[in-house]
Amino acid sequence: MSTKIIFGRPDIHEQDIRAAVRVIRSGWVGMGAVTAKLETAFRKYTGARSATAVSSGSGGLFLALLANGIGQGDEVITSPVTFPATANEVLHTGAEVRFADVDAAGNVDASKIEQAVTERTKAIIPVHLYGRPCDMDAVMKIARRYKLAVIEDAAHALGATYKGRSIGTIGDATVFSLYATKNITAAEGGIVTTNVRGTDTMMKLLRSYGISKTAWTRFGKANRSMPYDTMLPGYNLEIPDVLSALALSQLGTYARRLARRKQIWQQYDRHFSTLPVGLPPAYRDGRHAMHLYTITVDRKATGKDRETWVKELARMGIGTGIHFISLHLHAYFRKRYGYAPHDFPNALDLSRRTLSLPLTSGMTDEEVARVVRAVRKVCNG
């Protein structure tokens, strides 16, 4: 048996490792100059006014919500087809989550957003699922009509564009993930971009305990201890330089990484187009970040349910993922809000039939060919 193709394997090169080692040898591994460089690089890459690096994408969502005034008694509308962090961070602010059903591609349906708006609604979190941007014109139109903040969950969407605009520059804030499985990784971390003056200042303050001077300002940059003041009760959501170095190095080669993802995506499309499975719908409004390649499977078309697909592919050494089981089906959200499975029919359908196949910029041609052969075998076996 060949080595298993691990789903979501990070594409870390020697130059990335050397970048992290340089930080380790520098004597300053905490948040400092390298993190500042990462923020500058992200700002330039996305075209946003500012970028704030944080310890995780989840932390970034939390800070973006707080910086936009979301708190106790408020409601935030988002998609149920997402990782739990999207909804969890809303609850952590003291606000409540309201879900809106998704469209056929898995992104939140703008018409369903409007139906979910109440007098308590204060924000929308559109999730750019799989790296495919949401219909941001429709989302922003609703936001302007009801005076709502828009905080984009772009954990999957680094490098994506919508009608000529970079994801990271459209809403009030945009949150990217640098987790191990993402298109570029810091092992763990996140970035929040914004064009709104004051939002970045508040997020940076909240990120670093709410104090006026960070450790780098006090001990590293100035090379002397400096007094600081507590401006508000903040959090420790800093990302250390040793992790920022990984992401900064990878961002420098992201054009190549994204091109490789596109190449693999197109090969999958070509090979699977004749099989009885659903393929990702084409995206024509800009650039897809191609984070997750998902097919939809069902027993009627192939004679096998998704569980069987997962097991048979695993026996052939192919790792897979399920993105996602809709949050309204999860025990916590079901109990808290009393959801029934068919409350969000499109989300329910995707939850039952979606299967993610391996897709990383580090995959070899032979690994891609193995995935293709395995999928064909499951279909024809």
Side-chain angles (χ1 to χ4, degrees):
M1 168 68 72
S2 301
T3 303
K4 179 180 178 180
I5 299 176
I6 299 172
F7 183 85
R9 182 184 65 203
D11 183 17
I12 298 175
H13 294 198
E14 282 301 317
Q15 69 183 50
D16 307 327
I17 295 170
R18 288 196 295 271
V21 170
R22 281 195 298 272
V23 171
I24 293 170
R25 288 176 173 161
S26 74
W28 188 276
V29 297
M31 192 180 79
V34 178
T35 297
K37 289 179 182 178
L38 174 63
E39 291 174 334
T40 298
F42 242 85
R43 177 177 56 77
K44 291 179 178 179
Y45 181 79
T46 61
R49 180 179 174 274
S50 71
T52 301
V54 290
S55 57
S56 69
S58 300
L61 283 167
F62 181 59
L63 292 186
L65 287 161
L66 292 180
N68 278 276
I70 307 304
Q72 194 73 35
D74 296 334
E75 291 179 350
V76 177
I77 299 170
T78 191
S79 165
V81 183
T82 184
F83 191 66
T86 310
N88 289 350
E89 298 310 324
V90 173
L91 298 175
H92 290 160
T93 70
E96 297 293 339
V97 178
R98 285 181 66 84
F99 292 131
D101 205 4
V102 298
D103 58 23
N107 280 339
V108 66
D109 184 331
S111 67
K112 302 299 184 183
I113 292 176
E114 189 151 25
Q115 293 173 22
V117 173
T118 73
E119 61 182 14
R120 295 172 60 190
T121 305
K122 295 296 173 62
I124 305 167
I125 304 179
V127 179
H128 302 303
L129 195 68
Y130 310 143
R132 178 193 181 94
C134 296
D135 183 355
M136 290 305 297
D137 282 349
V139 171
M140 296 305 294
K141 184 177 180 180
I142 294 168
R144 286 191 292 268
R145 181 179 302 141
Y146 296 100
K147 296 184 169 73
L148 308 177
V150 175
I151 299 165
E152 299 171 65
D153 183 335
H156 295 178
L158 176 61
T161 63
Y162 172 79
K163 296 184 178 180
R165 289 170 286 173
S166 174
I167 295 300
T169 63
I170 302 173
D172 296 284
T174 305
V175 183
F176 299 93
S177 174
L178 300 174
Y179 181 62
T181 59
K182 298 304 188 291
N183 287 18
I184 69 169
T185 183
E188 182 63 277
I191 297 275
V192 188
T193 60
T194 182
N195 288 332
V196 181
R197 291 185 180 276
T199 298
D200 57 336
T201 303
M202 178 58 73
M203 288 191 295
K204 284 181 168 63
L205 186 60
L206 287 168
R207 168 188 67 180
S208 298
Y209 308 95
I211 61 178
S212 57
K213 294 181 176 67
T214 65
W216 173 246
T217 303
R218 302 196 317 271
F219 303 111
K221 185 177 180 180
N223 198 31
R224 61 187 177 88
S225 180
M226 298 176 68
Y228 59 87
D229 196 5
T230 301
M231 311 306 293
L232 49 78
Y235 307 88
N236 178 13
L237 295 173
E238 295 183 341
I239 182 172
D241 275 7
V242 67
L243 300 187
S244 292
L246 281 172
L248 180 60
S249 176
Q250 293 188 3
L251 186 60
T253 60
Y254 190 48
R256 177 193 59 76
R257 293 168 184 268
L258 198 54
R260 177 56 176 163
R261 283 180 171 272
K262 182 177 181 180
Q263 185 181 54
I264 296 170
W265 189 289
Q266 291 174 336
Q267 288 185 55
Y268 283 167
D269 272 354
R270 184 171 65 254
H271 287 291
F272 301 153
S273 62
T274 58
L275 301 180
V277 297
L279 303 185
Y283 176 63
R284 298 186 175 87
D285 283 334
R287 183 170 63 199
H288 197 304
M290 299 184 175
H291 174 57
L292 291 174
Y293 187 94
T294 59
I295 59 175
T296 51
V297 300
D298 58 57
R299 189 187 295 274
K300 289 182 180 179
T302 65
K304 299 172 182 177
D305 60 17
R306 185 174 59 191
E307 183 178 0
T308 301
W309 270 78
V310 170
K311 290 178 179 178
E312 292 193 7
L313 288 171
R315 280 198 291 269
M316 289 182 275
I318 309 299
T320 56
I322 295 174
H323 299 91
F324 294 96
I325 302 299
S326 179
L327 295 182
H328 82 286
L329 303 173
H330 288 226
Y332 178 80
F333 296 99
R334 192 175 68 246
K335 292 175 183 177
R336 182 173 183 129
Y337 296 111
Y339 289 130
H342 289 279
D343 285 347
F344 306 101
N346 289 341
L348 176 63
D349 182 60
L350 286 174
S351 298
R352 289 172 170 173
R353 301 195 301 123
T354 298
L355 183 65
S356 301
L357 300 176
L359 174 64
T360 75
S361 54
M363 289 180 70
T364 66
D365 289 342
E366 174 54 30
E367 287 175 326
V368 174
R370 280 181 57 196
V371 173
V372 170
R373 288 195 299 269
V375 170
R376 286 186 175 279
K377 186 170 182 179
V378 175
C379 276
N380 299 324

